[in-house]
Amino acid sequence: MTLLLPGSPAAAASTFQAGHLNIYAGLTHEKFLHDLNLITSKADMVALNEVGNRKSFLANWAADNGWTFYAPDPAHAAAEALLAKKSMFEVVDKGSKFVCDTNVGEPPPPRYNNWVKYRHKATGRLVFHINFHANAGIEDGNGGPEDLPRTRCAEQQFAEIKELARDKKDEGQVIVSGDLNVDFSANRARGYAKFPWKVFEANELPNLRSVYNLYGEKGTGTHGNRHIDYIYIWKRVESSRVMWMTDYRIVGDTNSDHKGVVADFSLAS
């Protein structure tokens, strides 16, 4: 009997989309709602940044529109929210971990890594979605670090995200998304050891792989001309893959200063 190794998605595999958008916290309610409706119209699983002051509204919106919602206390942790369509996913577990606070009581706010463990209803497979937001102002414009406390906080956060993904991958498939405030191409060219390219992507499989690594940089950027908003898959060696990232797109027409990112996934039964 010949076994078909899961090197590419099988025709019978189930598909879904995962999206990410940093929605600027200073938007009016109407502009915020436009961006929320935009990203949730294009994805089945969504991670948001900067939405801590919208927690109550988002909880009600999710309940009214058939989505699960996770945004833990305190408010700074709630800024990194996670949603998924109830028709496709059920929540199995969830958690949040404090990472660091550069200036207690002052900007930038403390950083948290949030995650939800879902059961994909069509296949029964477990899928983790990890969401985070790194400090701004950490990159020197050439893919290297600014020598600042907030940069060291971000470097710690990148390392902890990698460990969290590594820990969760033994239980299920792993997706990571966030505003990393580090440009993909500049960081790859520079190769700074504590920034995302080296921490997440430059090593052998299994490891994290971003949309930009797998499918190139599309559009002019997600924040100005920089590609700083990411979706990653924990990509396994070919013989053990059951989930694949098959493409992605950048979502424009946002009111936020960021564009969204939506990635296509295929999950074997």
Side-chain angles (χ1 to χ4, degrees), residues 36 55-70 82-86:
L36 174 65
K55 180 176 179 177
S56 294
F57 170 78
L58 282 167
N60 291 329
W61 181 93
D64 292 342
N65 288 278
W67 289 71
T68 69
F69 174 68
Y70 177 58
L82 290 149
L83 302 96
K85 287 182 179 177
K86 291 180 180 178

Side-chain angles (χ1 to χ4, degrees), residues 87-109:
S87 60
M88 296 186 70
F89 298 96
E90 64 175 313
V91 175
V92 177
D93 199 2
K94 54 196 174 184
S96 177
K97 185 177 184 299
F98 168 77
V99 181
C100 49
D101 191 354
T102 305
N103 297 303
V104 178
E106 298 179 5

Side-chain angles (χ1 to χ4, degrees), residues 119-166:
R119 178 175 289 107
H120 182 249
K121 292 182 177 180
T123 64
R125 293 197 181 275
L126 299 175
V127 180
F128 288 87
H129 195 179
I130 300 170
N131 183 30
F132 75 114
H133 185 186
N135 285 326
I138 60 175
E139 183 191 318
D140 64 6
N142 296 304
E146 292 283 3
D147 186 14
L148 297 166
R150 65 172 177 262
T151 307
R152 291 185 283 276
C153 177
E155 292 169 357
Q156 177 186 342
Q157 188 170 27
F158 297 144
E160 292 195 18
I161 284 289
K162 176 63 174 291
E163 289 305 310
L164 181 59
R166 182 182 284 122

Side-chain angles (χ1 to χ4, degrees), residues 14-106:
S14 294
T15 61
F16 66 92
Q17 285 70 45
H20 170 267
L21 178 61
N22 180 341
I23 306 181
Y24 173 56
L27 292 182
T28 65
H29 177 72
E30 290 74 20
K31 290 182 176 180
F32 170 84
L33 185 58
H34 169 274
D35 283 10
L36 174 65
N37 287 330
L38 178 65
I39 195 66
T40 54
S41 71
K42 297 181 181 299
D44 309 300
M45 174 191 294
V46 170
L48 303 174
N49 297 142
E50 293 195 29
V51 297
N53 60 338
R54 315 272 189 175
K55 180 176 179 177
S56 294
F57 170 78
L58 282 167
N60 291 329
W61 181 93
D64 292 342
N65 288 278
W67 289 71
T68 69
F69 174 68
Y70 177 58
D73 292 327
H76 290 308
E80 282 47 89
L82 290 149
L83 302 96
K85 287 182 179 177
K86 291 180 180 178
S87 60
M88 296 186 70
F89 298 96
E90 64 175 313
V91 175
V92 177
D93 199 2
K94 54 196 174 184
S96 177
K97 185 177 184 299
F98 168 77
V99 181
C100 49
D101 191 354
T102 305
N103 297 303
V104 178
E106 298 179 5

